[in-house]
Amino acid sequence: MTALTGELHELHRSADVADVLEQILDEHHGAVGDLEEFIDTAAAWCERLDTPDGRELGQHLRTIAHHVAFLGDRLADAQLHLSVMPDVTPKDAPPLADVPLPKRHEVPSVTHTARARAAVASSPKRPDGLPAAPGEAPRSRDAPPSPRRTR
């Protein structure tokens, strides 16, 4: 990504920018697809903990992966527009390095507490005899009581 960003400083035609953006969107080697796959894999890792916190964090990560896919779709739209856009960059336009980037908005992240709980949570697949996570009640292997009511 850093190299591709650096390339933008040397480009003057919109079709050239579209070509660089195509590299980011490439189905097999692009950063967007790789990021989505990484996040989905991290979500599966969290979900296999089989704890409420692990499932919650896994779902949160899957939502992020969905947003990355949506971002990829929007970038593909921009790439298409750039590929057919006539070149209108004025000859006296300032160098890209001199154009200030807008400030980014802060996005709240998953709480450190949720991350910590997911990291130390026990899994039902834990072999017998291993200690449980701190503050975790031991799991009963007995069948749950019958939900039938008696009069």
Side-chain angles (χ1 to χ4, degrees):
M1 289 299 299
T2 302
L4 292 175
T5 301
E7 280 185 42
L8 292 177
H9 291 274
E10 305 301 320
L11 302 177
H12 299 286
R13 297 175 340 121
S14 58
D16 296 335
V17 176
D19 290 343
V20 172
L21 193 51
E22 176 65 29
Q23 293 177 54
I24 294 168
L25 297 170
D26 182 82
E27 186 177 326
H28 302 289
H29 305 290
V32 173
D34 288 350
L35 181 59
E36 185 180 357
E37 182 179 353
F38 174 83
I39 295 169
D40 271 335
T41 303
W45 188 95
C46 291
E47 290 165 351
R48 77 183 182 139
L49 295 174
D50 200 28
T51 64
D53 291 330
R55 286 187 292 274
E56 179 184 347
L57 187 53
Q59 184 59 44
H60 182 72
L61 287 168
R62 292 212 189 273
T63 300
I64 293 170
H66 176 76
H67 289 293
V68 170
F70 180 77
L71 172 65
D73 291 343
R74 300 294 64 81
L75 287 171
D77 290 344
Q79 188 269 337
L80 179 63
H81 283 88
L82 281 165
S83 67
V84 298
M85 181 186 295
D87 296 322
V88 293
T89 306
K91 291 186 189 284
D92 61 344
L96 186 56
D98 294 346
V99 178
L101 296 176
K103 290 187 179 188
R104 295 183 181 176
H105 298 329
E106 280 291 317
V107 177
S109 66
V110 175
T111 66
H112 293 288
T113 304
R115 286 183 189 153
R117 285 187 300 200
V120 298
S122 176
S123 170
K125 296 163 187 65
R126 178 189 301 272
D128 289 335
L130 289 179
E136 182 179 309
R139 294 180 186 257
S140 171
R141 299 210 186 266
D142 299 338
S146 174
R148 286 185 282 162
R149 294 183 184 189
T150 57
R151 291 184 191 194

